[in-house]
Amino acid sequence: MKTVISPSILSADFADMGNAVRRLEQCGADWVHCDVMDGVFVPNITFGQKMVSDISGLTDLVTDVHLMITEPIRYVEEFVRCGADIVTFHVEAAQSVAQTIAAIKKAGAKAGLALKPATPVDAVAPFIDGLDMILVMSVEPGFGGQKFNPIVLDKLRQLRAIGYTGLTEVDGGVSLSNLPLLHECGLDVAVMGTALFKSANPAEDIAKIHQMR
Ligand code: DX5
Ligand code: ZN
């Protein structure tokens, strides 16, 4: 399968978001990755439902919402109503992971579960049957522009070894230099912030990644 590119709009100019998303679409992006942070689960605050709603209203790209908030069950239904196609929340942030997955699905979206670099694959193992996606963080969640942690390569292999068959997504420091390795480990969805927004030719980069076999 070709690697799906989900650019993280955390790297965009928030005052010019509409144009940023349109440009990503023109460059061949597949999804748009929306990082929602509450200043509690992570030491940073970004945006909420309204931004997701406005973005999903202007693009046909798959709206990929990454919730970095405590007790995400309080908000998942609303994010789905605002146009999220996939809602991913952190295993470390939810009291009842199973109930949160069920709430996302009941609301009509795909459900993803994320794990921080220090969280072992064992933490998500009990839930693999009900998940559409597992997001393996290759940096501490909270900020763009951090260094890629290769621990994710092993985690991708472990997920397949325990029989997980859904989508895998890696987020944090992903670039053209580590994508071949990620691709070899069976990565499905690459989140890219800094690497795409700082690139001289994002369309060419996306085309190159799509061609990886
Ligand atoms: C970090 C966010 C990422 C971030 C990725 O907590 O979840 O999506 O924007 O940005 P880069 O690609 O710059 O590491
Ligand atoms: Zn993210």
Side-chain angles (χ1 to χ4, degrees):
M1 171 180 140
K2 109 182 162 176
T3 304
V4 169
I5 315 284
S6 190
S8 164
I9 53 158
L10 189 59
S11 294
D13 174 355
F14 281 20
D16 194 23
M17 192 56 86
N19 284 323
V21 173
R22 278 186 216 100
R23 227 172 292 129
L24 292 169
E25 205 166 22
Q26 285 160 8
C27 286
D30 305 289
W31 296 7
V32 56
H33 185 85
C34 303
D35 287 306
V36 177
M37 306 187 190
D38 67 354
V40 178
F41 179 66
V42 288
N44 195 7
I45 301 175
T46 53
F47 52 77
Q49 304 89 308
K50 183 162 190 315
M51 180 70 94
V52 169
S53 170
D54 290 354
I55 288 173
S56 71
L58 75 82
T59 179
D60 291 331
L61 298 177
V62 170
T63 307
D64 172 28
V65 174
H66 177 191
L67 295 179
M68 284 160 274
I69 66 174
T70 50
E71 281 311 323
I73 197 160
R74 298 174 296 151
Y75 288 102
V76 292
E77 202 185 314
E78 218 175 315
F79 276 101
V80 177
R81 200 170 39 77
C82 288
D85 296 299
I86 303 186
V87 177
T88 298
F89 65 98
H90 272 263
V91 67
E92 306 89 354
Q95 255 184 40
S96 173
V97 172
Q99 275 177 30
T100 311
I101 295 170
I104 297 169
K105 291 193 159 176
K106 187 166 170 242
K110 293 204 158 87
L113 190 58
L115 62 164
K116 297 205 258 185
T119 303
V121 161
D122 291 356
V124 300
F127 310 105
I128 55 173
D129 288 341
L131 287 169
D132 298 294
M133 188 163 83
I134 294 179
L135 192 177
V136 189
M137 291 296 303
S138 33
V139 298
E140 269 315 304
F143 300 92
Q146 302 179 73
K147 193 167 170 273
F148 178 81
N149 182 340
I151 193 168
V152 292
L153 300 169
D154 254 353
K155 285 185 172 176
L156 289 175
R157 292 190 200 103
Q158 282 174 38
L159 283 171
R160 294 309 181 200
I162 61 169
Y164 174 66
T165 54
L167 293 174
T168 56
E169 182 174 51
V170 166
D171 184 4
V174 175
S175 69
L176 275 177
S177 57
N178 49 39
L179 261 164
L181 257 177
L182 288 165
H183 188 71
E184 254 176 54
C185 294
L187 176 68
D188 298 305
V189 185
V191 176
M192 295 177 79
T194 311
L196 274 187
F197 279 86
K198 289 231 165 109
S199 167
N201 197 336
E204 197 178 286
D205 292 353
I206 291 175
K208 262 190 211 153
I209 298 162
H210 280 158
Q211 278 154 19
M212 278 180 192
R213 289 274 175 252

